[in-house]
Amino acid sequence: MYREEIEQYIEAHKQEMVEDIFTLCRINSEKMPYEEGMPYGRGAATALAEALALAEKYGFSITNYDNYVGTADMNDKEKQLDILAHLDVVPAGEGWKETEPFEPILKDGLLLGRGTADDKGPAVAALYAMRAVKELGIPLSKNVRLILGTDEECGSSDIEHYYDVEEEAPMTFSPDADFPVTNVEKGRLEAHFNASFEPSAALPRLVAVNTGIKANVVPGKAQASVEGFEMSVLEAAAEKTEKETGVKFSFEMADGVADSSIVNITAVGEGAHAAFLESGNNALTGLLTLFQNLPFADCAQIQTVRGLLALMPHGDITGEAMGIAMKDEISDRLTLAFSMLKVTDSSLDGVFDSRCPVCATEENVLYVVRDRLAAIGVTLENKEMTKPHYVDGDSHFVRTLLRVYEEYTGLEGKCQYTGGGTYVHNLKNGVAFGATLPGTENRMHGADEFAVLEELVISAKIFAQVIVELCS
């Protein structure tokens, strides 16, 4: 129904869509310091104003929610479908070769520039889907609303602000992931824990550990200082540990003094995102394995550190030793990444990041972790965890998305899960849907980020057809 008209319209407006994407991508909309009336800074507010101006030009009713979120409505009928996208971007970063981050170009069928894939390109594709339905005069009995946020990359406080005053639509999809449909997002326990103990001067001793950059990053490098070891003992333990873990070690005398009794240790593994930790090799747990192979003088500090390793041993990414290993058919297994640790002579603070399947609860994850840590003298600070998100894959909503996707791409439509989180995680009937086809690695968040033009074009067609199917 209306497929031929939709396809012809989007093809005829392809170049115009590219120009509108580039208009938004020329704006640096990364989060900046607060200015009056601009909660996320001038860049995000400018991008929102420009996007709303485009929507208004194309005949949509717009609303600006205090520069947190903007919306464009197809009509004033009953609420039915929300399309939830975002205009903020991650910082440009270094290493760009094809173009400057905020000077988007079209080259060999690729739109290159920060935000082309995440998420300005998909946002404009959604706008053009609405424009196609409107200008083709396709009758709708219910409303579709495009919601444009400006803080997705730094916590989604924009959406919290929006839903404080607006109700969730019966159906919501976010074009901020991969096709087909992501209807399951794992829960998360970002576990913060600490301990204190009496200092000990007995040698050899652990002076300090200070490792990890973010809770959701498997550390590729870990650092510590020890005192009272012969270099030959350290090197022998490092050789043994490298064979066990694959983590490499280097040693440097503190302050560069050859006869210093304090040695700085650097462990090097392979960093990874905690949601996809299988590709990493955790330098922190490798470092703690080295400690297991060193003859430290006994004290409460080293006992506690070794207790943590026993609960999160190197290579255990499923939480088995912690007692929380589990999996289900919908969202696969639980994962756990020990990501941050700071140790002094009298205290310890650490973080691990666990992504939890649909079968996870506070009773079988949070409470178990609390008790296991308490048994080694460590206190878990968390009182709750982020619950998993699941939308029925057999619902009319999801089945419609999958069917339209199959019709327009010829590819298999199926539900999938993610260990990451999207804008829709806290929405009762929200899923991620597009705008990247399977197998495309668009360097999202990296240098030379790109979107495939034809993928955005087909996304616009799919979104338009979905609007017709769900709102007419």
Side-chain angles (χ1 to χ4, degrees), residues 5 8 11-12 40 62 125 181 191 238 245 260 282 306 390 425:
E5 295 96 321
Q8 290 176 354
E11 289 293 337
Y40 310 115
I62 63 169
V181 171
T245 65
S260 173
N282 195 319
R306 285 175 170 167
Y390 170 63
H425 190 94

Side-chain angles (χ1 to χ4, degrees), residues 62-142:
I62 63 169
T63 305
N64 186 328
Y65 292 78
D66 306 314
N67 272 334
Y68 285 82
V69 166
T71 60
D73 286 294
M74 180 76 79
N75 54 49
D76 58 1
K77 300 180 186 296
E78 181 184 353
K79 181 179 295 189
Q80 174 75 344
L81 175 67
D82 284 347
I83 304 175
L84 182 52
H86 69 91
L87 301 173
D88 58 309
V89 296
V90 298
E94 300 177 350
W96 290 75
K97 297 177 181 178
E98 296 291 343
T99 187
E100 293 299 312
F102 300 105
E103 296 177 9
I105 61 171
L106 176 61
K107 180 179 179 182
D108 300 327
L110 305 180
L111 280 67
L112 291 135
R114 178 61 81 227
T116 51
D118 183 26
D119 189 38
K120 293 173 180 176
V124 173
L127 177 63
Y128 269 70
M130 293 173 61
R131 186 182 173 193
V133 173
K134 182 178 183 64
E135 295 186 8
L136 288 170
I138 300 174
L140 300 180
S141 60
K142 296 184 179 180

Side-chain angles (χ1 to χ4, degrees), residues 224-390:
S225 300
V226 297
E227 182 179 12
F229 288 104
E230 295 290 336
M231 187 62 74
S232 59
V233 173
L234 294 173
E235 290 172 345
E239 183 178 359
K240 180 177 186 294
T241 307
E242 183 177 342
K243 290 178 180 178
E244 295 174 359
T245 65
V247 175
K248 300 181 182 298
F249 301 90
S250 61
F251 305 98
E252 182 181 23
M253 308 307 294
D255 301 321
V257 179
D259 60 352
S260 173
S261 62
I262 296 180
V263 178
N264 297 328
I265 304 172
T266 299
V268 178
E270 185 70 33
H273 193 290
F276 315 102
L277 74 177
E278 294 87 348
S279 61
N281 188 12
N282 195 319
L284 172 54
T285 54
L287 180 66
L288 300 190
T289 304
L290 174 69
F291 295 167
Q292 190 70 25
N293 293 327
L294 286 171
F296 286 99
D298 188 44
C299 67
Q301 176 215 51
I302 202 65
Q303 288 175 7
T304 306
V305 170
R306 285 175 170 167
L308 288 176
L309 180 64
L311 292 175
M312 295 177 282
H314 187 81
D316 179 4
I317 63 172
T318 64
E320 183 174 356
M322 186 68 78
I324 57 174
M326 63 185 70
K327 66 183 298 184
D328 56 44
E329 293 183 0
I330 297 173
S331 51
D332 201 35
R333 62 182 179 171
L334 178 145
T335 60
L336 187 153
F338 193 175
S339 51
M340 302 179 73
L341 182 64
K342 182 177 182 179
V343 182
T344 68
D345 63 348
S346 60
S347 67
L348 171 154
D349 290 279
V351 177
F352 74 75
D353 186 320
S354 180
R355 307 299 168 110
C356 308
V358 171
C359 61
T361 65
E362 291 187 343
E363 287 77 15
N364 63 20
V365 177
L366 179 67
Y367 298 168
V368 174
V369 169
R370 180 193 62 193
D371 293 345
R372 293 293 178 98
L373 289 174
I376 62 169
V378 176
T379 300
L380 178 68
E381 296 179 2
N382 303 68
K383 305 301 182 185
E384 58 185 11
M385 59 183 279
T386 301
K387 296 178 181 179
H389 173 69
Y390 170 63

Side-chain angles (χ1 to χ4, degrees), residues 186-217:
K186 289 185 175 182
R188 186 181 183 197
L189 174 59
E190 184 181 306
H192 293 248
F193 51 88
N194 56 66
S196 58
F197 25 76
E198 288 296 322
S200 172
L203 297 176
R205 71 185 183 99
L206 174 61
V207 177
V209 177
N210 194 355
T211 289
I213 54 173
K214 288 184 70 177
N216 64 351
V217 176

Side-chain angles (χ1 to χ4, degrees), residues 72-84 140-147 162-163 166-173 396-398 400-401 427 429-430 466-472:
D73 286 294
M74 180 76 79
N75 54 49
D76 58 1
K77 300 180 186 296
E78 181 184 353
K79 181 179 295 189
Q80 174 75 344
L81 175 67
D82 284 347
I83 304 175
L84 182 52
L140 300 180
S141 60
K142 296 184 179 180
N143 187 35
V144 56
R145 169 175 284 187
L146 177 60
I147 304 173
Y162 174 79
Y163 285 113
E166 293 285 359
E167 292 184 359
E168 176 184 346
M171 307 172 191
T172 304
F173 74 79
H396 169 67
F397 174 42
V398 173
T400 300
L401 298 181
L427 300 183
N429 200 27
V466 164
I467 289 169
V468 173
E469 298 282 340
L470 294 177
C471 298
S472 64

Side-chain angles (χ1 to χ4, degrees), residues 10-29:
I10 298 298
E11 289 293 337
H13 291 79
K14 181 192 304 185
Q15 185 56 43
E16 192 177 355
M17 186 173 77
V18 170
E19 292 169 1
D20 285 347
I21 292 170
F22 283 177
T23 294
L24 297 182
C25 288
R26 291 188 185 99
I27 302 168
N28 179 357
S29 52

